[in-house]
Amino acid sequence: MNPRLLQVCNVGEIVGGTAACAWSITHSLPTCEHHVAVLGSISAEMREAFAHCRLSEWRRVTNAEVAGCGPDAIILHNTPASRWKAPLGAPTIRYVHSVSPPGEEDVRWYCSRWLAEQCGDTEGTVLLQSVPRPPRPALQVGRGERERLIVGRLCTPQLRKWPRELIEFYRRLSEPFPGVEWEFVGCPPSLQTPLLESCGGRARFLPAGWEQRSRLWQWDALLYHHPTLTESFGRTVAEAMRAGCIPIVDARGGFCEQIVPETGFLCDDVDQFAHALRIVADPIERRRRSENCRAHADRSFSFTRFGHDLRVLLQQLALR
């Protein structure tokens, strides 16, 4: 009989990081029987993405619900202590994606070393996620076939992810780079007009959606800055590199554990972001870094690597 794995997500939206991580786990362990429970309603987009496994809506994680699927192990993705209580009848892992206090879980996994340190667990187990290679668009103009660079930002459509400080930030970047076209995926409507003006009218806005990851094949660079919010991991950076899209991002948090020399850029201020854009504007350097990004990401963030690491950690848990 194949091992049974239960995962619990707090939000039923596939565009969120934790549900996307659960999705990657189901594909990284193809010989397991997968059951994913969501503590709330599930969007149609998430149901489609998880059509290959069992998907349920729960109010809480209870012994009765767990017994109904008979898992060999349980992975709780950031599940708050108020929504479950140990013991659950199977080895329980808390996969931590943001700062949270210890609970009654048997073991903890962190999505980055930075996050483990923020939680005061410097020796904690770190399990870097895998990400899929983004789907290629049906019609694609090659990066080398365009005169203008396309630089994009892809983020969940939450106001806290789109601070108004971005208006001035993009104004300072767009003025010295009139040859750059800017694309924004997931930008709230209230910010679109001022960002369009900041970018000199050279901006396009697209709604958030699982399918929008195909834009990473079109963009020359993924640019992400947030003045106050630090990403614990940031799946979009890894996905961008798998598509050969060069990340230019804040030198903070989990980004620093994904980007290695001669791939993308880690930046501390707007001047460093501008310097990175000047380097990417050179076609030879852009092609070289794009190839380096794909090679690095295919090694580091593949389902094969993730599946191997998952099996090792699950075996260790079973022997406890």
Side-chain angles (χ1 to χ4, degrees):
M1 181 181 295
N2 292 331
R4 294 177 179 176
L5 182 63
L6 168 65
Q7 298 185 76
V8 179
C9 298
N10 300 332
V11 180
E13 295 286 347
I14 189 62
V15 294
T18 53
C21 179
W23 183 91
S24 290
I25 288 175
T26 66
H27 287 277
S28 299
L29 297 173
T31 61
C32 287
E33 294 183 22
H34 292 281
H35 185 172
V36 177
V38 176
L39 302 181
S41 59
I42 302 172
S43 70
E45 192 175 30
M46 183 167 176
R47 288 191 182 279
E48 182 179 354
F50 282 87
H52 60 288
C53 61
R54 183 180 173 190
L55 192 62
S56 301
E57 292 181 359
W58 293 356
R59 295 188 63 183
R60 288 176 53 85
V61 185
T62 65
N63 290 95
E65 295 283 18
V66 171
C69 53
D72 296 295
I74 305 167
I75 298 178
L76 305 174
H77 292 274
N78 264 9
T79 307
S82 60
R83 306 297 293 273
W84 71 284
K85 185 173 179 59
L88 291 175
T92 302
I93 303 119
R94 187 115 186 273
Y95 200 165
V96 184
H97 301 274
S98 59
V99 176
S100 59
E104 297 181 276
E105 61 269 4
D106 295 306
V107 296
R108 284 191 135 207
W109 299 341
Y110 296 92
C111 69
S112 68
R113 177 58 58 196
W114 175 86
L115 180 58
E117 293 171 354
Q118 293 297 302
C119 292
D121 191 3
T122 56
E123 302 300 320
T125 298
V126 174
L127 179 63
L128 293 180
Q129 301 174 45
S130 68
V131 299
R133 184 176 290 112
R136 285 181 179 269
L139 299 175
Q140 178 182 358
V141 177
R143 293 187 178 106
E145 301 172 28
R146 292 187 267 100
E147 291 185 5
R148 288 179 176 267
L149 293 182
I150 300 180
V151 178
R153 187 182 199 268
L154 189 157
C155 199
T156 52
Q158 302 170 7
L159 285 174
R160 70 186 187 94
K161 293 291 187 80
W162 296 86
R164 294 197 67 83
E165 288 90 338
L166 293 178
I167 298 169
E168 175 63 15
F169 175 78
Y170 276 95
R171 184 192 67 76
R172 293 183 62 185
L173 281 185
S174 66
E175 288 179 354
F177 295 99
V180 171
E181 294 182 354
W182 308 88
E183 288 193 356
F184 301 93
V185 173
C187 180
S190 61
L191 206 63
Q192 291 183 13
T193 297
L195 270 180
L196 179 63
E197 294 172 353
S198 294
C199 295
R202 305 184 314 277
R204 183 184 182 197
F205 299 90
L206 300 164
W210 187 244
E211 76 285 352
Q212 298 291 14
R213 296 172 302 119
S214 65
R215 300 303 301 169
L216 296 169
W217 290 102
Q218 307 280 77
W219 297 347
D220 297 286
L222 170 80
L223 192 146
Y224 182 88
H225 165 65
H226 195 295
T228 58
L229 184 63
T230 299
E231 294 290 336
S232 300
F233 179 70
R235 288 174 60 90
T236 306
V237 167
E239 288 184 290
M241 288 195 285
R242 294 210 68 181
C245 177
I246 303 166
I248 304 173
V249 298
D250 292 320
R252 303 199 311 268
F255 293 160
C256 299
E257 295 167 47
Q258 297 183 56
I259 295 174
V260 297
E262 305 304 315
T263 57
F265 299 85
L266 296 166
C267 305
D268 289 312
D269 53 41
V270 68
D271 291 334
Q272 291 186 6
F273 277 95
H275 177 68
L277 284 174
R278 280 190 287 272
I279 294 175
V280 169
D282 178 88
I284 295 176
E285 184 67 14
R286 183 167 66 250
R287 188 179 307 112
R288 184 181 73 84
R289 285 183 179 262
S290 175
E291 292 171 355
N292 289 349
C293 282
R294 284 195 63 179
H296 165 63
D298 285 348
R299 288 191 303 269
S300 301
F301 307 116
S302 69
F303 291 158
T304 300
R305 191 279 305 165
F306 196 41
H308 172 269
D309 291 353
L310 280 164
R311 285 189 293 272
V312 169
L313 291 175
L314 288 171
Q315 288 167 1
Q316 292 174 354
L317 180 61
L319 295 174
R320 285 170 61 98

